[in-house]
Amino acid sequence: MKQILPFSHTLYARLYSFLLSVLLAYCLFNAIYSVIIGGKSAYLFSGLVLIFQTILVFKASLNKKIYNVLGLIGLILCLVYLHHWAFLFQHESIAILPSVILALLSLGYFSLQHLRLNLLMVALLFGLFILAYTQYHDLNTLQNYYNSLHTGETWQQYGAL
């Protein structure tokens, strides 16, 4: 069977891992900045859990199923602790979507069928895009709130530092 595009599979894999790394780094740095200026700390915890899960999914490990499911459970428990049982109606609950996809990828069942594996990998990127957009929106809301409280102090222009 002739290939449609002349690119190799390794190029696609490297491009995918680069895009995944950039999205995770953006989410983590955005969450760190948001926490520094007084935002929600759930994004920081979810970013760390997602990075931990991503490393375990794409690394050959014996216990990656257990660790990824524990990461998902830890993320859900953190959101339950912060918002009680109304956590599904909060913006931070969007972090559950990539975590669930990473837990499903670690099971190994989806690696047998390439169509399902590719759909999960695209859904993971889409979930991270939604998480990054939600974090960006919350950060803009926080910055607009600080701009409305402007009292002439210079630290308010650049955050809480």
Side-chain angles (χ1 to χ4, degrees), residues 88-122:
L88 289 176
F89 301 110
Q90 302 297 324
H91 292 291
E92 302 95 26
S93 65
I94 198 67
I96 293 174
L97 177 66
S99 184
V100 167
I101 292 170
L102 285 168
L104 288 175
L105 279 173
S106 70
L107 293 178
Y109 171 73
F110 296 100
S111 63
L112 300 175
Q113 296 179 352
H114 293 291
L115 179 63
R116 289 183 183 169
L117 178 67
N118 290 338
L119 285 176
L120 275 178
M121 292 176 82
V122 168

Side-chain angles (χ1 to χ4, degrees), residues 39-60:
K40 300 173 183 177
S41 62
Y43 287 132
L44 180 62
F45 182 73
S46 65
L48 292 173
V49 167
L50 287 174
I51 287 173
F52 176 72
Q53 283 183 318
T54 305
I55 289 170
L56 287 176
V57 163
F58 295 111
K59 178 184 171 190

Side-chain angles (χ1 to χ4, degrees), residues 39-157:
K40 300 173 183 177
S41 62
Y43 287 132
L44 180 62
F45 182 73
S46 65
L48 292 173
V49 167
L50 287 174
I51 287 173
F52 176 72
Q53 283 183 318
T54 305
I55 289 170
L56 287 176
V57 163
F58 295 111
K59 178 184 171 190
S61 174
L62 296 176
N63 298 327
K64 68 179 178 180
K65 295 175 193 175
I66 296 169
Y67 293 138
N68 279 326
V69 171
L70 285 176
L72 174 64
I73 291 171
L75 184 60
I76 290 173
L77 288 177
C78 173
L79 290 173
V80 167
Y81 175 73
L82 290 175
H83 302 290
H84 302 290
W85 291 106
F87 73 93
L88 289 176
F89 301 110
Q90 302 297 324
H91 292 291
E92 302 95 26
S93 65
I94 198 67
I96 293 174
L97 177 66
S99 184
V100 167
I101 292 170
L102 285 168
L104 288 175
L105 279 173
S106 70
L107 293 178
Y109 171 73
F110 296 100
S111 63
L112 300 175
Q113 296 179 352
H114 293 291
L115 179 63
R116 289 183 183 169
L117 178 67
N118 290 338
L119 285 176
L120 275 178
M121 292 176 82
V122 168
L124 175 62
L125 284 179
F126 185 68
L128 285 174
F129 274 124
I130 292 174
L131 179 63
Y133 176 74
T134 305
Q135 285 182 346
Y136 176 75
H137 176 70
D138 282 353
L139 186 63
N140 276 344
T141 304
L142 187 63
Q143 287 175 342
N144 290 335
Y145 173 72
Y146 283 144
N147 286 338
S148 69
L149 300 175
H150 186 67
T151 60
E153 299 290 327
T154 58
W155 67 270
Q156 287 182 341
Q157 292 175 342

